[in-house]
Amino acid sequence: MSEQTSLWWIDWRLSRLPLVRETIGRFLFFCLLGFALLSLLLSGGASRFLADRYAITAVLRADVPSAEAEGLARKVAALPPVRSAAYRDPEAAWKEFLRAYPGLDPLRGAGRNPMPGYIEIRIRPDRLTRADVDLVASALRSVPLVEQVLAGEEWLPRLLRADRLAFWAGWGIFSAFLAGFFLVGRLQERGRAVALAGDFAFLVERGVPTGRMVFFRAASAAVSGFLLAAAGTATGGGALFLFLRKFPFLEGGIGPPSDLLLPRTLAVAVLFSCGVALLSAAASLLGWRAARSGRK
Amino acid sequence: MTQGTRRILSAFLAAAVSFCILFPAAAPAARDIAAELRQERGRLLEMKEREEKTAQELTEALRKENRSKGRVGELQALLTRQRSLLSRIDRKVSALNERLERAEKDVRELEAAHGQARTDLQRAEVVAFAGQRAGAEDPWQLSARERERHFMRVYLAADAEGVARITRARERKEEELSGLERQVAVTERTMAREKKVGESLLSRQEEERRRLADIAREKKRKEKELKSLRAKIARMESVVSRVERQVKERERRARKAAGRGSASREPAEAPRRFASLSGGLSAPLAGKVVTRFGRQHDTTFDVTIENRGVEIEAPSGASVKSVGQGEVAFAGAVSGFGNVLIVQHGGGLFSVYGRLETFLVKQGEAVKRGTVVGRLPGSPSGKSVLYLELRAGGTAIDPTSAIPLDS
C-alpha cells in the first residue's frame, strides 16, 4: 500500500457518537475542574480568607504625633510580607472600641480618650507564615514609637495549621478529581479499544503496525485532552470571573478577578492542560493494554 | 506728822502757853477759864490723836490705792495682751475652720467621684465581659477581637488609674483634713487655756477693782473724818484764841493799872521784839531748816497747809539750847510733837521746842540764852529733827526772821 492511512483521529472516524459524548462530558468536567483549579490558585486554599482576617496591630505610644505614625506605617508597608499598613489615630481607635463595646459610650462622657493610636498591618496571603509574621512583629517591636505588638501569638499557630489543612484538603480534592478523571478515562479508552478491536485487527492484517496505531491514538488523546482542559479551564476561569464580579464579597476568600489574567495564573492553566494531556495519553495507552490483555 | 496737825498743835501750844503764863497770876475769877482751857486742851489732844491716826490711815489707804491702781493697770495691760492673743487665736481658728470646711467639701466631692468611678469601672467590666462573649461568636475576627481586648484592658487600666488617682487624692485630703482637725483641736485647746487665763486675769482685775473701790470708799470716809476733825480743831482753835484774847485783855488791864501800859504791838514788829530781848537770840542748835514756816504744799494729800514753825535737821542726840533768856513755862509730852518745852521770854514772847527726847530743865526754871534745855532723840539714820516755833502776842512768827538759821 503506497498510500499510508492517517491514523490521527482514527477513533473519531470509527466511533464518532460515543466520542462526542465523551468529549462533551470531559469538557464539562474540565470546566468544573478549571474553576476549582483557578479558585484554589487564587485563594491559596484558605490563605486569602485567613490573611484577610489576620492583622498585626502595632499599638503606638500615647505621645506619638500623627505624622510620625503615618511615616512609620509607610515604612512598614514597604516590608516584603506586608500587603498593607494603615495608621488609625486615637479617635478612630476610640470609635472602633465603642463600636465593639457600645455600652461604654455614656460612661466616659467627660473623661479623656484613653485609647492610643495604632497601625494595622495585613500580611500577603502567600506570606502568611510564622516566619514572616515573626519578621514583621520583631521589626515593629524594635521601633521606639511602638508600645506593644499584637500578633496573635496565642492563636496564630492554630490559624496557620488551619491554613495548611485547608490548602492540603483543597489540593487533595482537586488531585482526587484529577485521578478520577484518569481512571474514568482509562476505562473509557479500554472500552473503546474493546469495541473497536475488530477494526484494529483488520488494520493490522492490512499491514498497519500496532505500535503506530497505539501511538497515534495516544497522541490524539493527548491533544484532545490538552484542548479540552484548556477550553474547560478558560470557560471555568470565565465563569469564575463573572462569579466574582457578581458576588464581590467572595473576593475576600478567593481573590480579585483581575488576578485571573496574571501570567502566573495563565502559566498554571497551561501547565494544567499539559498535565491533562499527559493523563489522557496515559489513559489511552493503559486502556489499550487492558483491552489487549483482557483485563478490565 | 502732817503740817495741818502741826498747825493745830501750834495753836494749841500757844493757848497752852498763854494759859500757863496767866494761870499763876490770874484772879480767882479766871479759874473757870483755866478749867475750861484744860478741858478744851484735853479734848483738843484727843482730837489731834484721832486726827493723826486718821491721817495715818488715810496715808495707808492712799498707798494701798496707789498699789491697787498699779496692779489694776498691770492687769489691764495683761488683759489687753490676752485679748489680743485671743483675737489672734480666734482668727486662726476661723481660718482653720474655713480650711476645714473646704477640705471636708473636697473629701465629699472626691468620695462621690470615687463612688462614681468605681461604679463606672464595674459597669465597664460588665460591658467588657458581655463584649467578649459577643465577640466569641465570630471566631474568624481574631485580630480585631485581640485588639478590642487590648483596648478594653487599656480602658479598664485608665479607669482603674482614675479610681486609684481619686483614691489617692481622697486619702491625701483626708490626711490633710485630719491634720487640720488636729490643728483646730490644738488651737481650740490653746484658746480655751488662754480664755481661762483671761478669765483669771479678769477676775483678778475685778477683785482688784473691788479692792480699789473699797480703798476709795475708805479714803473718802477717812477724808470726811479728817475734814470733820479739822473743823472741830478749827473750832477749838477759835475757842483757844478767845481765851488768849481774854488773857491779853487781862494783861492790858493789869499794865494799865500799873501805869506801864503801852499800845499793843503789831505782829510785824514781832521779830524786832524778839531781837530786843535781853542778851539777844541765838540758834537752838546747828542744823539745816528742812520744813519752812508759812503756807506749804503737802504732796501726800495734795493740799496747802500753814506751818506755824520750822523743823531743823540735826545730828541725833544733839543738845537743844534756849534761844534767849526766860523761864520754862511748860515741859511735857504733846501728841504729835513728843516732848515739848516752852520758854516764856516775857512781853508775850514764847519759844517752843518740840520732838525732844529728854528735858534738862524743869518747869518754872529760869534759863539764859544758850542754856541747854534738852536733847534730840537718837535714830538709825543719825539724823533727828527739832521743831522750833516762836510766838509773839499769840501769833506764830517765822523763826528764820528772828534767828539766823542755816537753810
Side-chain angles (χ1 to χ4, degrees):
Chain A
M1 208 159 67
S2 57
E3 188 184 345
Q4 269 193 344
T5 306
S6 172
L7 293 177
W8 286 101
W9 318 117
I10 189 167
D11 284 15
W12 172 254
R13 282 200 292 269
L14 294 176
S15 177
R16 184 165 296 174
L17 193 62
L19 207 57
V20 168
R21 281 202 300 268
E22 269 180 39
T23 303
I24 291 169
R26 287 184 185 187
F27 173 74
L28 292 175
F29 179 75
F30 284 125
C31 282
L32 289 174
L33 213 57
F35 188 93
L37 171 70
L38 293 174
S39 295
L40 272 176
L41 194 65
L42 261 59
S43 65
S47 291
R48 190 177 290 274
F49 175 77
L50 295 177
D52 202 47
R53 273 143 191 81
Y54 176 75
I56 298 172
T57 302
V59 181
L60 303 177
R61 295 188 186 283
D63 53 352
V64 176
S66 296
E68 284 187 39
E70 281 167 0
L72 178 64
R74 280 194 294 276
K75 284 179 187 171
V76 173
L79 292 172
V82 175
R83 189 181 73 190
S84 68
Y87 167 65
R88 306 269 188 271
D89 63 12
E91 195 58 34
W94 176 242
K95 283 177 183 166
E96 181 186 334
F97 177 67
L98 288 182
R99 274 197 301 277
Y101 303 99
L104 293 176
D105 193 15
L107 291 184
R108 212 174 173 83
R112 69 178 184 83
N113 173 18
M115 297 303 154
Y118 69 93
I119 296 172
E120 187 184 57
I121 299 115
R122 300 270 177 197
I123 303 293
R124 291 178 189 281
D126 54 332
R127 303 292 293 265
L128 186 60
T129 61
R130 185 70 201 224
D132 285 323
V133 168
D134 286 346
L135 173 74
V136 176
S138 61
L140 285 167
R141 284 193 184 100
S142 64
V143 179
L145 302 180
V146 176
E147 186 174 16
Q148 196 172 353
V149 175
L150 308 175
E153 276 80 359
E154 292 174 5
W155 43 265
L156 182 63
R158 290 200 304 273
L159 185 80
L160 293 174
R161 198 180 306 125
D163 183 30
R164 278 196 304 277
L165 284 173
F167 177 84
W168 289 116
W171 287 108
I173 291 168
F174 178 79
S175 301
F177 272 96
L178 210 56
F181 157 75
F182 173 74
L183 291 175
V184 170
R186 176 181 164 276
L187 286 175
Q188 285 175 339
E189 287 294 335
R190 177 185 166 277
R192 205 181 315 119
V194 170
L196 297 176
D199 296 328
F200 293 144
F202 176 79
L203 288 172
V204 170
E205 287 170 3
R206 297 294 183 281
V208 176
T210 304
R212 191 162 173 261
M213 194 165 54
V214 170
F215 172 77
F216 276 105
R217 282 193 76 236
S220 61
V223 170
S224 64
F226 178 84
L227 292 174
L228 281 173
T233 304
T235 307
L240 182 62
F241 184 86
L242 293 173
F243 198 66
L244 290 174
R245 291 287 297 273
K246 180 84 175 171
F247 305 104
F249 67 89
L250 291 173
E251 285 183 23
I254 297 172
S258 56
D259 278 8
L260 288 170
L261 299 174
L262 291 173
R264 180 170 58 102
T265 314
L266 294 174
V268 170
V270 170
L271 209 62
F272 170 67
S273 300
C274 291
V276 168
L278 286 174
L279 284 177
S280 298
S284 173
L285 287 172
L286 290 174
W288 173 268
R289 282 183 64 185
R292 285 291 299 273
S293 63
R295 289 179 300 175
K296 280 196 175 178
Chain B
M1 182 184 289
T2 65
Q3 296 294 329
T5 311
R6 287 183 195 125
R7 184 167 56 89
I8 295 160
L9 187 59
S10 302
F12 164 71
L13 284 173
V17 167
S18 303
F19 175 76
C20 290
I21 292 162
L22 294 172
F23 188 72
R31 287 182 190 277
D32 292 340
I33 296 170
E36 189 184 347
L37 258 177
R38 272 199 301 279
Q39 192 182 354
E40 292 302 328
R41 189 180 66 179
R43 284 173 59 196
L44 196 58
L45 277 171
E46 193 184 331
M47 279 194 284
K48 283 185 185 300
E49 279 173 7
R50 277 173 58 198
E51 189 214 8
E52 190 180 350
K53 192 179 170 189
T54 306
Q56 280 173 355
E57 286 171 355
L58 189 55
T59 308
E60 184 60 27
L62 276 168
R63 270 202 299 276
K64 280 182 183 172
E65 187 185 41
N66 284 338
R67 276 204 304 274
S68 190
K69 275 181 179 170
R71 278 201 295 274
V72 168
E74 284 171 14
L75 286 170
Q76 186 62 40
L78 279 173
L79 263 175
T80 307
R81 278 205 297 277
Q82 198 65 22
R83 281 184 184 135
S84 162
L85 179 64
L86 275 172
S87 172
R88 279 205 305 277
I89 293 172
D90 199 40
R91 282 199 297 276
K92 191 178 173 186
V93 166
S94 296
L96 281 172
N97 277 328
E98 273 179 27
R99 283 178 62 194
L100 202 63
E101 279 174 16
R102 278 203 301 275
E104 280 172 349
K105 190 181 167 197
D106 288 349
V107 166
R108 280 198 298 275
E109 285 173 0
L110 282 168
E111 274 173 355
H114 185 255
Q116 184 63 43
R118 282 189 66 83
T119 307
D120 288 352
L121 185 60
Q122 284 164 1
R123 288 176 64 187
E125 283 167 353
V126 170
V127 171
F129 180 72
Q132 284 198 15
R133 287 199 62 177
E137 291 171 3
D138 185 0
W140 297 114
Q141 295 296 335
L142 295 170
S143 292
R145 292 283 89 79
E146 184 186 30
R147 190 163 57 238
E148 285 159 9
R149 279 199 302 277
H150 176 75
F151 284 166
M152 178 51 86
R153 279 196 294 273
V154 169
Y155 180 90
L156 292 176
D159 262 14
E161 173 57 29
V163 171
R165 198 171 50 247
I166 293 170
T167 305
R168 284 196 298 275
R170 193 186 65 177
E171 282 170 358
R172 276 201 303 276
K173 275 286 168 197
E174 279 175 349
E175 207 169 301
E176 187 186 334
L177 189 66
S178 168
L180 279 170
E181 280 171 351
R182 279 199 301 274
Q183 218 173 330
V184 166
V186 167
T187 312
E188 279 178 347
R189 276 203 298 276
T190 307
M191 190 161 75
R193 200 169 53 240
E194 293 299 333
K195 268 184 180 168
K196 205 175 276 181
V197 170
E199 280 166 9
S200 160
L201 283 172
L202 201 62
S203 140
R204 277 173 61 194
Q205 194 193 33
E206 284 301 316
E207 193 181 330
E208 207 58 48
R209 280 189 196 284
R210 278 198 298 277
R211 196 180 298 162
L212 192 61
D214 288 347
I215 291 166
R217 276 197 297 278
E218 180 71 10
K219 183 185 152 193
K220 203 169 176 181
R221 196 173 60 75
K222 291 291 173 191
E223 279 175 347
K224 198 173 172 184
E225 194 179 330
L226 195 61
K227 196 174 172 184
S228 162
L229 274 171
R230 279 174 181 167
K232 282 181 183 173
I233 288 168
R235 282 198 297 278
M236 184 59 69
E237 280 189 326
S238 150
V239 170
V240 170
S241 295
R242 196 173 68 240
V243 172
E244 278 186 332
R245 277 199 303 278
Q246 286 175 354
V247 169
K248 277 182 192 173
E249 185 60 27
R250 283 202 186 87
E251 276 188 337
R252 194 181 59 77
R253 283 177 188 161
R255 277 196 301 272
K256 197 174 179 180
R260 293 183 282 121
S262 61
S264 64
R265 289 163 186 172
E266 295 298 320
E269 293 173 344
R272 275 185 288 165
R273 287 170 63 194
F274 267 103
S276 64
L277 278 176
S278 162
L281 288 175
S282 63
L285 45 59
K288 186 181 175 183
V289 175
V290 292
T291 306
R292 295 189 172 282
F293 177 85
R295 293 172 75 83
Q296 302 292 328
H297 184 75
D298 189 314
T299 53
T300 306
F301 294 106
D302 194 24
V303 293
T304 302
I305 57 168
E306 186 87 26
N307 285 337
R308 299 297 173 91
V310 296
E311 284 181 335
I312 304 165
E313 190 180 71
S316 298
S319 300
V320 178
K321 298 166 187 171
S322 173
V323 297
Q325 185 182 340
E327 185 185 330
V328 177
F330 175 81
V334 174
S335 174
F337 286 89
N339 289 329
V340 174
L341 185 99
I342 302 172
V343 177
Q344 179 188 1
H345 300 288
L349 300 175
F350 295 90
S351 59
V352 182
Y353 310 87
R355 302 183 194 278
L356 297 174
E357 186 183 46
T358 54
F359 301 122
L360 298 176
V361 292
K362 292 177 183 170
Q363 189 172 337
E365 191 177 332
V367 293
K368 292 183 180 175
R369 180 172 69 92
T371 303
V372 176
V373 295
R375 289 189 191 283
L376 289 178
S379 84
S381 65
K383 299 279 186 185
S384 297
V385 172
L386 170 70
Y387 176 77
L388 176 65
E389 182 177 326
L390 298 183
R391 297 189 70 89
T395 306
I397 65 163
D398 186 1
T400 57
S401 63
I403 307 168
L405 292 170
D406 186 8
S407 59

